Amino acid sequence: MLERKGAMQERQRSSHSEEGVVELLRGAGRMTEASDQCCNQIFCMKEDQGEDVHTQCLKNSAPDELSEALEDLGYDVCSNVDLLTDLMDCAGKLDEESLSHVVGMMCRTEGLIPTMHGFTRAVTANTEEAEAEADVLPTASSWNVSVLVEAVNRAAPYISWRKTLEGLDTPAMGVSPKGGLQLLLALHAQVSADPFPVDVVFGTWENSAAQLDLLKSCLAFPATRPLFQTAGRRTQLPEEFVAWEEEAAGVWASLDVIETLLGLVRTEGRAAVEAVFAEAEERCPEVLLLGLLEAQPAAEARAEEQAAAEQEGAGCALLRDMTARLLRPWLSARSPARRVVLGRVWEVRRGELVAGLCRLYDEERGSAGAVRVALAVATEQGALAALLEHPAASPALLLDLALLAARAGLLPFASWLEGALGEAGRGEAVAESCVRVLQRRVYAAEGEKRAGGVGVTEESVRAMRKGVEGRAWACPRTASLVHLLRSANRPLLRGGAPPPAGGAPTPGGAPGGSAAGGAGAAAVGGG
């Protein structure tokens, strides 16, 4: 009994030696032909002390050769510092590129390589003694980063671990769900006292699948998530709102995170990236909105560079959709934060704010409520004139906005309309909008009038008729609409009463004018 125990302990000690680990790996069938040859070279060269290991081995090996050999050999090869050091020597001069392949491979395979339990059956007789030895001999179930760091320090003390982490964009890289990120953090903790550099995951990677996995893992892991609150470029958050200093807001104020995710849409798909943004949309939508607005120019520049890609501008499409979705509630919000949020939107990307107001106007079918929202936003930001001149605003919204602003005493409608109708490229569209307003809100039969739109004063009606009928329109459609309006020859009646059949004027009424009561006093239509 004592003899068997002594033999087992001796076998355990030998298994920890360099040759012992190699023999166990061979016996377990874990050695590929290339790995076996590599180990043979080690021992042959160690017997010949006159030979230089670096000159006799694979000094011109590819950067991924060492990582592939270690993956073939499995976790146990990382249980012996001497063996791992010699394997590194055998692979030639170790540099940051080849070490990045090794670290990436370990991060990808952590906890996923089958363990060596039971391998002693392959190197011992099938006896009760062999069964007992299976529980005594060592078998690793993960990579030993302490051994890796020690072996690197011996084989290549000149290595920069920061450059190694910056070079993780390799085909070997991946993030194992069984502790891949934890292995990376444990490795970094052994080689540096600084926080883990989460910025290494920013930018554009060739191995985009690994980049997305690593970024998602870092955003979700408690030890790395706070690091995004200070890393890289940041969205400028208004100081008025302390609530925005919450942890989620701090993370999602990172412009690098937002831009990196948008850049991954083209390769990893919209659904995968949008799922990562879901937390920010739920917990700090205003912060994400401001970040998207500041990130947009960079995203658009990348889309131009990727003009030949199959999914050109996919990231920009997601950006525009999320921006529209996040902006919509703020247009009619009663929160005191509205003015600040929309003020930043107007300052950074005013085209997005104009587009949001146009979408709201279209969604509500030109309702007076949507126009009131647009007017409120414009007056809050002191931007009524700029909004009325913005090229992205729809002519229909502009006309209703000017009508409402005129009724509020904020705008001389006739002067504005004269300029709008004379504007090249948009004048005819404004004229068509004028004709439709007159047809649907003024001259339509009482039961056919369009309800819910902005009300029209008599003065505004005169201005519209004078403006559209006093010009020659080149566009056939516009000219046809104006001709129909002119040929109807229907006057505006006091109080918006429906005109008599055939459009004949009533007593006291005249085309283009009204009887007593004062010009501009009566409003026709809703609003």
Side-chain angles (χ1 to χ4, degrees):
M1 181 68 177
L2 291 176
E3 291 179 358
R4 188 174 73 173
K5 182 176 180 181
M8 290 168 60
Q9 292 174 340
E10 177 61 29
R11 188 174 181 85
Q12 183 179 13
R13 284 193 298 272
S14 66
S15 69
H16 282 286
S17 69
E18 185 175 348
E19 293 83 353
V21 172
V22 172
E23 288 305 316
L24 292 175
L25 293 169
R26 282 174 176 156
R30 294 297 294 275
M31 297 282 268
T32 63
E33 183 177 351
S35 301
D36 200 5
Q37 182 181 8
C38 183
C39 290
N40 282 333
Q41 284 181 307
I42 291 174
F43 299 133
C44 289
M45 287 183 292
K46 291 189 78 172
E47 290 176 2
D48 187 355
Q49 299 297 322
E51 295 289 343
D52 182 358
V53 171
H54 291 293
T55 60
Q56 294 298 316
C57 293
L58 309 174
K59 57 193 275 183
N60 296 319
S61 60
D64 60 350
E65 185 165 336
L66 178 60
S67 67
E68 290 181 355
L70 296 181
E71 185 174 358
D72 287 340
L73 295 169
Y75 303 129
D76 287 85
V77 75
C78 207
S79 63
N80 183 283
V81 175
D82 293 330
L83 174 60
L84 189 54
T85 302
D86 287 333
L87 282 171
M88 291 177 177
D89 288 338
C90 188
K93 184 176 180 179
L94 184 65
D95 59 14
E96 286 84 1
E97 184 180 7
S98 57
L99 186 56
S100 293
H101 279 77
V102 171
V103 173
M105 177 276 295
M106 290 182 171
C107 185
R108 172 175 54 82
T109 59
E110 175 68 1
L112 300 179
I113 297 178
T115 62
M116 297 279 292
H117 234 345
F119 62 83
T120 51
R121 295 183 179 85
V123 292
T124 60
N126 187 15
T127 62
E128 290 184 3
E129 180 179 349
E131 295 284 347
E133 290 184 30
D135 293 328
V136 175
L137 295 172
T139 176
S141 59
S142 64
W143 298 107
N144 190 323
V145 293
S146 299
V147 171
L148 173 65
V149 171
E150 178 62 27
V152 171
N153 289 339
R154 290 187 188 181
Y158 49 82
I159 282 289
S160 166
W161 284 98
R162 171 71 194 196
K163 289 183 178 179
T164 298
L165 293 177
E166 290 175 350
L168 286 177
D169 179 16
T170 69
M173 177 63 190
V175 183
S176 165
K178 295 187 176 182
L181 178 60
Q182 289 87 328
L183 177 142
L184 202 57
L185 297 178
L187 172 64
H188 180 264
Q190 293 211 13
V191 300
S192 175
D194 296 329
F196 181 77
V198 292
D199 58 309
V200 300
V201 77
F202 297 154
T204 303
W205 281 29
E206 291 293 328
N207 188 351
S208 56
Q211 182 185 22
L212 181 58
D213 285 343
L214 182 57
L215 181 54
K216 287 195 301 184
S217 299
C218 288
L219 286 170
F221 195 62
T224 51
R225 182 177 172 83
L227 301 177
F228 289 102
Q229 298 183 22
T230 55
R233 296 157 42 246
R234 320 264 322 146
T235 303
Q236 297 299 314
L237 300 181
E239 299 177 355
E240 293 89 338
F241 299 95
V242 179
W244 286 5
E245 298 176 6
E246 293 178 352
E247 182 259 0
V251 171
W252 287 102
S254 170
L255 288 173
D256 290 299
V257 170
I258 293 173
E259 290 179 1
T260 297
L261 285 169
L262 291 173
L264 286 166
V265 174
R266 184 174 63 87
T267 54
E268 301 309 302
R270 173 168 174 156
V273 173
E274 204 164 9
V276 184
F277 278 119
E279 182 217 6
E281 286 201 52
E282 179 181 353
R283 297 185 59 186
C284 51
E286 59 280 286
V287 175
L288 179 58
L289 172 61
L290 298 181
L292 289 172
L293 293 167
E294 292 190 40
Q296 191 162 10
E300 289 173 344
R302 280 199 304 273
E304 291 177 2
E305 294 173 0
Q306 299 167 352
E310 291 183 5
Q311 300 183 45
E312 176 190 356
C316 287
L318 173 59
L319 185 150
R320 287 191 296 270
D321 290 347
M322 284 199 301
T323 301
R325 190 163 63 238
L326 293 166
L327 178 60
R328 175 65 177 83
W330 287 101
L331 296 177
S332 52
R334 298 185 180 276
S335 166
R338 180 179 106 150
R339 183 168 185 169
V340 176
V341 172
L342 297 186
R344 181 61 61 83
V345 177
W346 180 257
E347 174 189 350
V348 177
R349 300 290 292 184
R350 62 181 55 185
E352 294 293 341
L353 182 54
V354 174
L357 293 172
C358 290
R359 281 190 294 269
L360 176 63
Y361 180 81
D362 293 338
E363 289 170 7
E364 299 194 5
R365 302 175 62 83
S367 72
V371 183
R372 282 194 291 269
V373 167
L375 182 61
V377 170
T379 52
E380 279 178 1
Q381 305 304 325
L384 177 59
L387 179 56
L388 287 169
E389 295 173 358
H390 201 283
S394 68
L397 172 60
L398 289 181
L399 180 60
D400 271 344
L401 182 60
L403 287 169
L404 188 60
R407 291 184 60 184
L410 301 174
L411 178 79
F413 179 77
S415 299
W416 172 83
L417 184 62
E418 185 70 18
L421 290 172
E423 186 178 341
R426 189 159 62 169
E428 293 191 343
V430 174
E432 291 184 21
S433 296
C434 288
V435 173
R436 290 193 176 91
V437 167
L438 291 170
Q439 288 177 332
R440 298 173 183 178
R441 301 182 201 169
V442 180
Y443 298 131
E446 193 62 35
E448 298 176 0
K449 284 187 178 180
R450 181 74 171 272
V454 173
V456 186
T457 64
E458 296 178 3
E459 182 181 359
S460 298
V461 170
R462 286 197 299 271
M464 285 189 282
R465 291 204 61 160
K466 178 181 177 182
V468 299
E469 294 180 23
R471 284 178 168 80
W473 300 102
C475 175
R477 185 178 63 179
T478 305
S480 176
L481 286 171
V482 173
H483 175 71
L484 289 174
L485 178 65
R486 187 183 293 118
S487 62
N489 193 28
R490 290 179 289 190
L492 174 67
L493 304 180
R494 282 197 301 273
T506 60
S514 66
V524 182

